[in-house]
Amino acid sequence: MSSSASGVVNGLVNGGISFWYADEGLPQVREPLAGDTSADVVIVGGGYTGLWTAYYLKKAAPSLRVTVLEQRFCGYGASGRNGGWLYNGVAGRDRYAKLHGHDAAVRLQRAMNDTVGEVVRVVAEEGFDAGVHQGGVLEVARTPAQLARLRDFHAHELSYGERDRELYGARETAERVRVAGAVGSSWTPHGARVHPVKLVKGIAAAVAALGVEIHESTPVTEILPGRAVTPYGTVRAPYVLRCTEGFTAALKGERRTWLPMNSSMIATEPLTEEQWAAVGWEGREALGDMAHAYMYAQRTADGRIALGGRGVPYRFGSRTDNDGRTRLETAAALREILVGFFPALAGVRVAHAWSGVLGVPRDWCATVTLDRDTGIGWAGGYVGSGVATANLAARTLRDLVRLDSGEDGRTDLTDLPWVGHKVRRWEPEPLRWLGVRGMYATYRAADRRETEHHAAGSSRLARVADRVAGRH
Ligand SMILES: Cc1cc2nc3c(=O)[nH]c(=O)nc-3n(C[C@H](O)[C@H](O)[C@H](O)COP(=O)(O)OP(=O)(O)OC[C@H]3O[C@@H](n4cnc5c(N)ncnc54)[C@H](O)[C@@H]3O)c2cc1C
């Protein structure tokens, strides 16, 4: 272990699924499946995607028999481990603009903008606490190259119809949050901070109250047309929806569909009033930056900073699950980013470090699909921006099921450009592992170059990494 890594160990909780569970408590696990049964729709996976889909299906048709099968407990995956940025970003928008035209991508973006409000609305309507604070998203630039990228990014977002986004200089940025060396920022109102676990628990409770059958500790080993197979029995249903995101590679036949990418986070101990006075951040915006190895952070409801970034991304052979433990080197690297942002926090203790897994398609485009021949549907590939996207995907899956079963016609959602998108599979190992590792090393090197040389343009290295990643 390096000396900087050993510096974060003191009293650190590593794993335990996530800080959010340490804060909220692990849930009581619901009964597993008790044998063969049937349903109208069976949903595999109890994260935001699966649960929102169950919610909207049942709201649209209360008599529909909907069953959710979850391998551990609802919120075990990324939905219980994320940074709590409920925001309007959607993976693949620019590619969808290329494939389907600018207007189609604008429709997708508008739908995403509305989705932030939709989640906030349902949380209020269902009457549960999800730690929501609607302060928008603030993304800061800290080097000349980042500033150039920020301006491009800002203009690009405006071109997708975001009229209410604002560009700030150094002074206006510091009035919101005092990030060391910040030279500018871009702010959108289409974002909120949430407590991820409170959100997933609240949706699961609402879904159960609507009469959806949720079986936990029930791993699905195979998805086939008309059935989901588990060690405890098979659920037969005309529609089987795969909502397993970063875990998808473990399902039979899906090994190379979406690459499972690890992402790590830390949460500090609660900051003192003096520390908050030094940091500012009274608007509690979701906070990010323009580095290639970017960071994202939130000011939590209980006065901590939770921060994540592109850490150690991918493990050989698509192994995903370690109940959230992460490498201490990664926790130390994230702490370094935190202190770089806020030097006044040099003495702050990291209370918790954890990791989760997200799903990355070969072309980095999120998708929603229902195969009308087999009745098998899926949604995911959100590449790290799934908190809001999962809600839009779920409403879209609802509409696709209702369209297919003749209950409804086409809707605005069934015509969005990400519906039915096809993408090739990832390369077999070890090529995939080498490629992803190389890509992240390149992003880090690009950031170092930009910082050391005060380069104004986006580093050529980063553009190479983007190409390796299949993003262009
Ligand atoms: C550390 C981290 C930080 C993130 N931060 C943000 C953020 O701030 N903002 C944002 O927008 N996005 C963020 N994301 C991404 C976001 O959390 C995910 O995109 C989103 O939660 C995906 O939801 P999901 O329901 O599709 O998948 P998951 O939440 O992963 O749910 C899938 C569920 O399926 C279950 N499952 C898997 N396989 C099976 C099986 N075979 N049988 C039965 N059940 C199965 C799993 O146990 C899991 O509960 C982050 C992700 C991580 C890991």
Side-chain angles (χ1 to χ4, degrees), residues 436-466:
V436 174
R437 261 179 64 108
M439 171 182 89
Y440 279 91
T442 311
Y443 279 134
R444 285 192 296 270
D447 282 333
R448 272 197 306 277
R449 273 182 78 99
E450 287 178 6
T451 308
E452 283 159 17
H453 301 285
H454 296 282
S458 205
S459 154
R460 217 167 34 222
L461 273 177
R463 291 200 293 273
V464 170
D466 278 345

Side-chain angles (χ1 to χ4, degrees), residues 375-400:
I376 295 176
W378 59 89
Y382 309 126
V383 198
S385 51
V387 176
T389 315
N391 176 280
L392 179 62
R395 284 182 284 133
T396 308
L397 273 177
R398 169 203 60 194
D399 287 5
L400 290 171

Side-chain angles (χ1 to χ4, degrees), residues 18 47-48 60 64 72 82 91 101 112 140 194 216 224 226 251 263 271 322 360 376 445 470:
S18 69
Y48 298 140
L64 207 68
R72 296 286 297 270
N82 61 75
M112 279 303 304
V140 299
V194 299
E216 297 184 325
L224 294 162
L251 277 164
S263 188
L271 303 194
N322 56 4
V360 184
I376 295 176

Side-chain angles (χ1 to χ4, degrees), residues 96-436:
Y96 287 127
K98 278 194 191 125
L99 292 172
H100 300 276
H102 184 70
D103 290 352
V106 168
R107 282 192 285 113
L108 179 60
Q109 186 58 63
R110 292 232 164 95
M112 279 303 304
N113 297 350
D114 294 345
T115 298
V116 175
E118 168 66 8
V119 172
V120 175
R121 182 191 70 74
V122 177
V123 167
E125 187 175 294
E126 295 294 337
F128 64 87
D129 170 27
V132 178
H133 185 94
Q134 255 183 304
V137 181
L138 187 75
E139 278 155 292
V140 299
R142 301 177 63 213
T143 64
Q146 287 186 20
L147 186 61
R149 216 153 41 238
L150 180 87
R151 290 199 178 116
D152 286 351
F153 162 75
H154 185 87
H156 199 59
E157 295 307 299
L158 295 186
S159 78
Y160 285 99
E162 227 192 313
R163 300 275 165 261
D164 36 14
R165 180 175 279 277
E166 292 176 27
L167 190 64
Y168 299 137
R171 191 179 47 79
E172 292 158 298
T173 304
E175 278 165 13
R176 288 188 170 239
V177 50
R178 283 186 278 289
V179 175
V183 287
S185 60
S186 174
W187 177 81
T188 173
H190 301 290
R193 169 213 79 189
V194 299
H195 186 304
V197 163
K198 287 186 177 176
L199 179 62
V200 77
K201 272 189 173 176
I203 309 166
V207 163
L210 286 170
V212 170
E213 272 196 40
I214 304 179
H215 295 292
E216 297 184 325
S217 296
T218 305
V220 170
T221 50
E222 196 171 6
I223 292 176
L224 294 162
R227 62 204 151 111
V229 182
T230 85
Y232 312 123
T234 294
V235 182
R236 288 177 188 277
Y239 298 103
V240 186
L241 307 180
R242 191 185 82 216
C243 303
T244 50
E245 242 263 330
F247 299 87
T248 303
L251 277 164
K252 200 166 175 181
E254 306 293 346
R255 210 172 155 66
R256 288 161 52 196
T257 304
W258 291 332
L259 184 132
M261 183 89 80
N262 283 287
S263 188
S264 297
M265 295 198 66
I266 54 169
T268 65
E269 61 190 340
L271 303 194
T272 62
E273 273 179 31
E274 295 88 75
Q275 285 170 326
W276 277 122
V279 166
W281 206 354
E282 270 150 33
R284 291 161 175 73
E285 299 87 350
L287 180 69
D289 74 355
M290 281 285 138
H292 296 295
Y294 57 76
M295 64 71 88
Y296 51 91
Q298 70 151 282
R299 176 174 176 167
T300 67
D302 66 345
R304 302 164 192 261
I305 294 178
L307 179 144
R310 281 178 172 165
V312 178
Y314 174 65
R315 287 192 279 168
F316 186 68
S318 300
R319 283 170 296 134
T320 51
D321 187 20
N322 56 4
D323 282 353
R325 281 184 73 79
T326 191
R327 292 172 61 220
L328 291 175
E329 279 80 0
T330 303
L334 292 173
R335 187 179 185 285
E336 220 166 279
I337 293 175
L338 174 78
V339 175
F341 260 59
F342 304 116
L345 304 186
V348 82
R349 196 175 66 80
V350 174
H352 209 124
W354 71 98
S355 69
V357 65
L358 40 97
V360 184
R362 186 66 180 83
D363 65 354
W364 296 58
C365 290
T367 43
V368 187
T369 296
L370 177 67
D371 180 343
R372 301 185 79 162
D373 293 334
T374 60
I376 295 176
W378 59 89
Y382 309 126
V383 198
S385 51
V387 176
T389 315
N391 176 280
L392 179 62
R395 284 182 284 133
T396 308
L397 273 177
R398 169 203 60 194
D399 287 5
L400 290 171
V401 167
R402 288 177 66 75
L403 173 67
D404 188 69
S405 58
E407 299 295 328
D408 258 330
R410 285 164 57 172
T411 67
D412 288 350
L413 301 187
T414 60
D415 286 345
L416 288 175
W418 66 342
V419 173
H421 175 67
K422 290 200 171 62
V423 58
R424 75 179 161 98
R425 296 181 161 232
W426 282 93
E427 290 76 2
E429 300 293 14
L431 283 180
R432 186 169 49 183
W433 182 74
L434 289 171
V436 174

